[in-house]
Amino acid sequence: MITESNEQNTAIALSAVNDILREYHLNYDADVGVLEGEIFFLIQPAELLGEIIESAYPFEKKRSEHLNLDIEEDMPNHWEASTTGGSITLSDIVECQSESEVRSLAAESISISMQNYDVHQKMQDIRLNDCNFEKFYIKDEIMRELQRYADWYSVQARQIRSDFQI
């Protein structure tokens, strides 16, 4: 049974996740929602991703012409490659006694999700989801790019943990 406090803590947690994602430039759209007892969120290295896409486009355009690929249809999906996600269970949120505890829980969940970005798992995901990277890049280039996301996430996670004293 949902009590007023549960609803209030859930609203605070949703707001906290959105605020943290925006404040640390971790997503353009702050993709957050509640489903089956959990708050789910997607994380992307928004600032870094903008730089990567801008710098990669001329290379990818030239390579697409060389390989006779359609620049619109066959472009590598940098969004998919850089995205990670996480969740917070509503039962954990309900146990929080204050707004600051809820915000700290949200910050901790986001930082853990970023630290769990796994380069090798993401490489498999890219292959399964047909993100077109293998049309443009060799495996070592893809792994370097994924490692760049992982390193960025690690720095941001440490910053969040420091800022929230976790």
Side-chain angles (χ1 to χ4, degrees):
M1 182 168 154
I2 296 178
T3 66
E4 188 175 311
S5 177
N6 294 356
E7 289 176 356
Q8 184 178 14
N9 280 1
T10 301
I12 291 167
L14 282 167
S15 175
V17 169
N18 277 312
D19 292 348
I20 293 166
L21 292 177
R22 274 192 225 95
E23 182 178 342
Y24 291 90
H25 308 286
L26 299 172
N27 201 322
Y28 284 111
D29 298 323
D31 215 352
V32 180
V34 179
L35 180 66
E36 297 182 11
E38 292 189 90
I39 294 176
F40 289 93
F41 49 86
L42 293 178
I43 304 171
Q44 296 169 325
E47 278 184 358
L48 176 65
L49 195 54
E51 293 171 18
I52 288 171
I53 291 171
E54 189 175 310
S55 66
Y57 184 78
F59 166 79
E60 291 169 354
K61 186 172 191 294
K62 187 174 182 175
R63 190 164 279 179
S64 72
E65 291 167 358
H66 175 73
L67 298 172
N68 202 25
L69 298 169
D70 183 316
I71 191 68
E72 300 302 321
E73 295 292 320
D74 295 319
M75 287 297 286
N77 187 338
H78 293 277
W79 297 98
E80 178 74 28
S82 68
T83 300
T84 190
S87 65
I88 308 168
T89 63
L90 296 180
S91 60
D92 288 343
I93 294 166
V94 169
E95 292 176 14
C96 294
Q97 300 299 309
S98 67
E99 183 173 336
S100 66
E101 276 188 54
V102 174
R103 291 191 175 282
S104 290
L105 176 63
E108 182 175 20
S109 297
I110 289 170
S111 70
I112 289 169
S113 297
M114 289 190 297
Q115 289 172 322
N116 288 338
Y117 180 91
D118 183 316
V119 171
H120 297 287
Q121 179 61 49
K122 190 50 89 165
M123 183 68 170
Q124 290 176 358
D125 292 347
I126 287 172
R127 286 185 176 143
L128 287 174
N129 295 330
D130 193 25
C131 294
N132 294 330
F133 273 88
E134 292 174 319
K135 292 179 182 177
F136 287 84
Y137 300 99
I138 61 172
K139 182 180 178 184
D140 288 345
E141 291 171 325
I142 298 169
M143 293 299 280
R144 272 194 304 275
E145 200 62 32
L146 297 178
Q147 188 60 52
R148 186 173 174 187
Y149 299 138
D151 293 345
W152 192 88
Y153 279 136
S154 180
V155 168
Q156 291 297 319
R158 281 194 304 274
Q159 185 63 52
I160 289 171
R161 294 181 81 74
S162 172
D163 291 350
F164 282 85
Q165 300 174 358
I166 300 169

